[in-house]
Amino acid sequence: MFVRNWLRGTKWLHRSIAKLPEVVSPYQQMKEVMSKALQNLSTGVNLDQSHENFAKAVDIARDIYPIYPSKIAKILADIALAYSLYSNSERALEHLQEAKAQLELVKNKDSQEVHEVFVTMAYAYFELEDFEETRKLLEPSISKHKFPDIKHQAIAFDRLAKTMYMVKDRVLAIKYSIDAVNLLKSIECRDLDYARCIQTQGLCYSLCNEYSRSKDCFEEALQILENSSEKSESLVKAQIYESYSKVCVEQGDLQEAVNKALQGNDILKTLNYNPGRMTYLENVCHNINNPESVEALVDEMLEIINEVYGNTEEAANIYGLAAECKYLNENYEESLEIAEKELNIYKQNNDLQSILESYMTICKIYLSLDDIEKAKSYIDLSEGMLKKHPSRLLQSELYYYKYYYYYKIEEDDQAEKFLEMSIQETIEDEENKDQLIQRYTELGNLCQIRTKLERAKECFDKALDLNRKHKGKDNMETAILIGNIGNVYGMMKNYEKALEMMFDSLELKQKLVGNEHHELISTYSMISSTYYMMKEYSLSLEYCEITKELVKKANGENDIELGHLYMMMGEIYGNTMNRVKAKSSYLQAKEVFVENNHQELVDHVMKKIDELDSL
């Protein structure tokens, strides 16, 4: 959500109340009860008294303005805005409906007074995140309402620009954001309000994929606030970093998104207000939406989680995110420790559904740790609880973990059976296409390992068809699946079809990520292997060399995959009777395997060298 304290920061409501006449005592009384209500609402103290005072103010307004419904509507709109700013949406909507009812009684709906009410109501709807209603009220009134000064007018245009950003109207978002900035430039304003308007403009440019201009806006806004130390300005700086991070995500640069988010977090640390910092971190994690990328942000949340959330459901949600993040980054021990904290909270709250989900998460972690006995115990716990609380989605997950368990203990028939059962449960879940694609792919891989090649091809074909329907034709998953099918054709010795699909996969990958990306390694390697099986040794070597350079660039000189490539090159040179190059390749493979402490592979390559020397 955008800057929530625009109006709090400018004390707009207080100024609006202060404009009420003081001559007649009812006006003074109304002003006083409104002020008391607003004060209680802002501090969160005596909220019932706040509600009573607002109701009293409305009653006084009805007495003072019996024949002026627009004035009553203005009081109702002010109260609605106050409630929307302090997160009481139910009461805000109630007062907005009452304000609308009063405006229905107004004959001249194009008066300055009515447009002022429309603007206030629009601000309230904006805070309630009803952007269509905001647009409907604010767009026609912004040019007709006479604002008290240019800055207020600029703020209104900025609010409208944000609204257009939220409803994805690119043209008008840019137009209104430029209007807001130009108004402030006309009065040579370079303050906090200007920084906020520039922030909005940066977001609006991102709608049009003009990321360079977007980032320039954020940099300008941060430059304006560079030396500021007041709390309100620090909050805005953090919000600008949040927007900056969001745009980096849209551009596809997740690492830069995390870096910008961390810069905003560093600012919030200095304020010693950890609840606000937690909200900020949760927002940026949601924006980045990639658990593998946000480990640094998760670590920041874990530092303050006990202070902010204690042992509450909110804490459990953070622990769940953190456990998944650590798991995806292969930090399994940390993931397990965090997942157990999550489980303990659910046990304290007797949340049976969440306990079941936690059991399955812990099972997954133990499987990755190769602690088979512990994994099996959590499979049994999950199975017992599922009988009491059936869930198709969780049943699918449990079948998947049983597949993984049996795969680990090398009972391939059982593994294949449970993976098939997981797929069957997932088919019934219309919302879970990604999971179905992944499981068909995994079953294809398992069948390929077991040389059930027709079944493997059938699974990859199903995954490819689903992926194209669900995500379109031009994506990395499609490219990988095309390559997998090509590899199966190669194992079937249909080399012509294999190479056709492998080159199709390569072409799509190059289109998506260029010619030097690590995603190309697997495809070049498959092409090289296929030419090797065809005894086209010169072509096989050519693609080995390409693969080797990509592996070095991506993973360094001592990557284990490089050792396997040198082994393959040794085989090829051996088959072409070039013993010198064959031995050289084997020795390079040995160096890599020694560096990676793979004694079994070292022994294997030494055997190959001995065989060469004996010829």
Side-chain angles (χ1 to χ4, degrees):
M1 183 57 205
F2 291 107
V3 182
R4 182 165 284 278
N5 55 0
W6 264 108
L7 302 179
R8 296 187 211 177
T10 58
K11 297 184 173 59
W12 189 91
L13 279 172
H14 293 281
R15 281 202 293 271
S16 179
I17 292 165
K19 289 192 293 183
L20 293 171
E22 299 184 27
V23 177
V24 183
S25 59
Y27 295 107
Q28 182 65 30
Q29 187 183 7
M30 183 169 64
K31 190 170 75 169
E32 287 175 0
V33 295
M34 284 280 282
S35 294
K36 287 178 183 177
L38 190 59
Q39 183 178 2
N40 289 340
L41 193 65
S42 65
T43 58
V45 177
N46 295 327
L47 291 181
D48 288 341
Q49 187 65 48
S50 180
H51 305 326
E52 289 174 14
N53 281 332
F54 276 139
K56 188 174 180 180
V58 174
D59 289 339
I60 295 171
R62 293 183 191 278
D63 289 338
I64 298 172
Y65 308 120
I67 59 172
Y68 295 105
S70 60
K71 295 183 183 298
I72 299 171
K74 180 63 172 72
I75 299 298
L76 290 163
D78 283 343
I79 295 171
L81 179 56
Y83 277 128
S84 69
L85 285 167
Y86 294 101
S87 302
N88 191 329
S89 58
E90 185 177 344
R91 288 185 181 270
L93 288 168
E94 177 187 322
H95 284 79
L96 285 167
Q97 292 304 316
E98 289 186 38
K100 285 183 177 180
Q102 289 295 321
L103 290 176
E104 288 297 317
L105 304 174
V106 177
K107 292 181 180 179
N108 181 11
K109 292 185 172 58
D110 202 32
S111 69
Q112 165 68 15
E113 197 166 40
V114 168
H115 284 299
E116 184 178 359
V117 178
F118 283 155
V119 169
T120 305
M121 291 172 66
Y123 287 174
Y125 276 116
F126 182 87
E127 296 301 331
L128 296 171
E129 300 186 24
D130 186 339
F131 302 113
E132 289 295 345
E133 194 69 19
T134 304
R135 179 179 189 173
K136 186 169 73 175
L137 288 165
L138 189 53
E139 199 167 19
S141 293
I142 199 165
S143 59
K144 296 181 179 180
H145 175 49
K146 293 179 181 177
F147 293 90
D149 54 47
I150 288 177
K151 181 175 277 193
H152 280 78
Q153 187 180 8
I155 289 170
F157 273 107
D158 178 78
R159 185 63 53 88
L160 192 51
K162 289 175 181 174
T163 301
M164 297 306 174
Y165 170 81
M166 295 306 296
V167 300
K168 308 298 182 189
D169 189 324
R170 300 178 182 181
V171 174
L172 287 178
I174 292 290
K175 177 189 181 302
Y176 289 129
S177 70
I178 290 172
D179 287 342
V181 170
N182 286 342
L183 280 168
L184 292 177
K185 284 181 177 179
S186 72
I187 56 172
E188 298 183 355
C189 173
R190 294 293 188 278
D191 62 3
L192 183 62
D193 289 329
Y194 181 77
R196 285 167 164 163
C197 289
I198 288 292
Q199 176 194 9
T200 302
Q201 192 170 77
L203 286 167
C204 293
Y205 277 129
S206 74
L207 267 185
C208 304
N209 300 326
E210 294 188 39
Y211 297 117
S212 178
R213 296 180 76 174
S214 180
K215 291 178 178 180
D216 286 344
C217 289
F218 297 139
E219 292 290 350
E220 182 181 355
L222 290 167
Q223 184 65 35
I224 290 166
L225 301 174
E226 183 179 9
N227 298 318
S228 60
S229 58
E230 291 187 16
K231 181 177 179 180
S232 60
E233 293 174 340
S234 295
L235 287 170
V236 172
K237 277 197 284 187
Q239 289 154 359
I240 292 168
Y241 276 117
E242 183 183 340
S243 297
Y244 209 149
S245 173
K246 187 175 183 180
V247 168
C248 289
V249 172
E250 292 171 8
Q251 197 176 10
D253 191 344
L254 296 183
Q255 185 55 56
E256 186 62 14
V258 171
N259 292 340
K260 294 303 177 188
L262 286 170
Q263 286 179 271
N265 177 64
D266 288 342
I267 292 168
L268 293 176
K269 275 185 179 179
T270 65
L271 300 179
N272 295 318
Y273 179 57
N274 285 335
R277 184 175 153 217
M278 179 65 83
T279 301
Y280 168 86
L281 288 165
E282 289 182 73
N283 285 342
V284 293
C285 283
H286 174 74
N287 290 338
I288 295 171
N289 197 27
N290 184 312
E292 291 174 270
S293 301
V294 297
E295 187 168 5
L297 299 171
V298 163
D299 287 340
E300 295 288 337
M301 285 195 281
L302 291 174
E303 281 185 12
I304 59 177
I305 191 168
N306 287 331
E307 176 190 338
V308 177
Y309 287 143
N311 285 326
T312 61
E313 185 179 345
E314 288 85 356
N317 291 335
I318 301 300
Y319 284 135
L321 169 65
E324 183 67 9
C325 171
K326 299 291 183 181
Y327 176 83
L328 289 171
N329 287 317
E330 300 183 10
N331 297 323
Y332 300 128
E333 295 287 355
E334 286 184 77
S335 178
L336 180 61
E337 182 182 344
I338 294 165
E340 287 174 340
K341 290 179 180 179
E342 180 189 15
L343 174 60
N344 287 335
I345 292 174
Y346 291 138
K347 284 183 174 179
Q348 288 172 23
N349 296 332
N350 199 30
D351 185 344
L352 298 180
Q353 180 80 5
S354 298
I355 290 171
L356 172 57
E357 292 173 7
S358 288
Y359 282 159
M360 294 174 72
T361 296
I362 292 171
C363 167
K364 173 177 72 174
I365 298 168
Y366 275 125
L367 284 167
S368 296
L369 284 166
D370 288 327
D371 191 334
I372 302 303
E373 288 186 14
K374 282 279 191 180
K376 183 63 167 65
S377 70
Y378 276 93
I379 286 173
D380 293 342
L381 283 169
S382 302
E383 202 156 35
M385 191 168 280
L386 257 176
K387 289 176 182 176
K388 300 175 184 177
H389 305 281
S391 162
R392 185 179 290 278
L393 178 63
L394 294 179
Q395 185 66 70
S396 170
E397 285 292 299
L398 184 59
Y399 284 148
Y400 180 77
Y401 295 141
K402 291 181 85 167
Y403 139 72
Y404 197 13
Y405 166 76
Y406 283 112
Y407 179 77
K408 285 276 188 180
I409 63 174
E410 299 183 3
E411 292 189 20
D412 291 342
D413 286 337
Q414 286 290 89
E416 187 175 335
K417 168 190 162 185
F418 280 108
L419 188 50
E420 291 269 17
M421 291 169 72
S422 177
I423 287 171
Q424 194 56 45
E425 290 290 343
T426 310
I427 286 171
E428 303 296 327
D429 182 4
E430 289 295 322
E431 300 299 317
N432 230 332
K433 292 289 192 299
D434 285 336
Q435 190 178 83
L436 189 57
I437 292 165
Q438 180 258 329
R439 290 188 183 168
Y440 269 128
T441 303
E442 199 145 353
L443 183 56
N445 289 329
L446 180 62
C447 290
Q448 188 172 345
I449 290 168
R450 305 189 73 196
T451 62
K452 294 184 174 183
L453 300 181
E454 288 293 343
R455 179 61 174 143
K457 181 181 173 303
E458 179 187 338
C459 290
F460 288 139
D461 281 337
K462 285 181 178 178
L464 179 60
D465 184 55
L466 276 170
N467 193 71
R468 281 172 165 162
K469 288 178 181 176
H470 184 47
K471 299 180 181 178
K473 294 181 179 179
D474 290 351
N475 57 73
M476 188 56 69
E477 291 91 336
T478 291
I480 291 168
L481 285 164
I482 291 170
N484 288 349
I485 296 167
N487 202 29
V488 173
Y489 274 120
M491 293 179 71
M492 292 175 166
K493 302 191 186 314
N494 186 343
Y495 300 126
E496 184 178 348
K497 186 66 176 177
L499 287 171
E500 177 189 332
M501 298 204 74
M502 288 173 189
F503 280 110
D504 284 347
S505 173
L506 179 64
E507 184 180 353
L508 180 51
K509 285 185 177 183
Q510 289 172 326
K511 177 181 175 182
L512 293 169
V513 296
N515 294 321
E516 297 185 359
H517 197 274
H518 64 85
E519 284 287 357
L520 275 60
I521 291 172
S522 60
T523 312
Y524 278 125
S525 181
M526 285 192 291
I527 292 169
S528 176
S529 297
T530 303
Y531 278 128
Y532 177 80
M533 288 188 288
M534 295 169 67
K535 298 185 180 180
E536 296 277 0
Y537 296 129
S538 61
L539 285 170
S540 182
L541 274 173
E542 179 184 333
Y543 283 97
C544 264
E545 288 290 344
I546 296 171
T547 309
K548 181 179 75 175
E549 293 308 312
L550 283 176
V551 171
K552 284 182 178 179
K553 182 177 179 180
N555 303 326
E557 295 282 344
N558 292 311
D559 184 74
I560 191 71
E561 193 171 349
L562 205 56
H564 291 297
L565 270 172
Y566 286 131
M567 282 292 292
M568 184 172 174
M569 292 170 76
E571 293 279 351
I572 295 169
Y573 283 125
N575 287 335
T576 57
M577 304 306 292
N578 191 333
R579 295 179 189 172
V580 174
K581 286 193 174 182
K583 186 171 183 178
S584 173
S585 296
Y586 285 139
L587 288 171
Q588 286 176 295
K590 177 190 170 186
E591 286 181 21
V592 174
F593 296 147
V594 168
E595 186 69 26
N596 285 276
N597 296 314
H598 271 282
Q599 188 58 46
E600 188 177 342
L601 291 173
V602 172
D603 293 343
H604 177 66
V605 75
M606 288 306 298
K607 184 178 178 182
K608 288 287 185 182
I609 292 171
D610 289 342
E611 287 174 0
L612 267 181
D613 289 342
S614 66
L615 292 175

